[in-house]
Amino acid sequence: MAVKDRDRFSTATRIRIIGEQTAARVYRSQTKRQARRSRLTGRAALLAMVFCSLVVALAYPIRQYVAQRAEIADLREEQRQTRQRVEDLRDLKARWQDDAYAEQQVRLRLHYVMPGESGFVVIDPDAAEQTRTGLGAADRPWYRNVWDGVDKADAVAHRQ
């Protein structure tokens, strides 16, 4: 029986020792994790602080760069439009060098006619009505006539 008790005791002792070793390992791993977590948290905070300072330091230059790129694009578009306008004006100048085009424009704009031709000007019926309403202008004070002229000029400017 003594042998059986010794084996039992030794097994119980072994289990207790194994339990203590396991508990020690678990405790050590927990303390290592906690140590790692705290160390990792400090590093992460430092990394976040460095990253934030880089973002703050680079935000203004990057904004300026983007704004300048947009301005360059706008200027290139303006330059393209100006070149197109210059090309159109060169074409117009070349057309005016042609006598047939010049004659056509003189007839159209200045109402010139060639000898032997009869010229006709079609009056807009709305324009005739406007002149009829203007006949009573002599009865009004001079400042009213000036103001009406300003209003008519303003109305013409807004239609264009």
Side-chain angles (χ1 to χ4, degrees), residues 59 115 143 148 157:
Y143 54 86
D148 287 342

Side-chain angles (χ1 to χ4, degrees), residues 17 23 29-30 38-39 42 47-49 82 87 91 95 119 128 139-140 143 150 154:
I17 292 172
S29 68
Q30 285 178 350
S38 64
R39 204 172 39 194
L47 181 63
M49 198 166 72
T82 304
E87 188 64 33
D91 290 345
R95 278 189 265 152
D139 298 337
R140 294 185 288 176
Y143 54 86
V150 170
D154 189 41

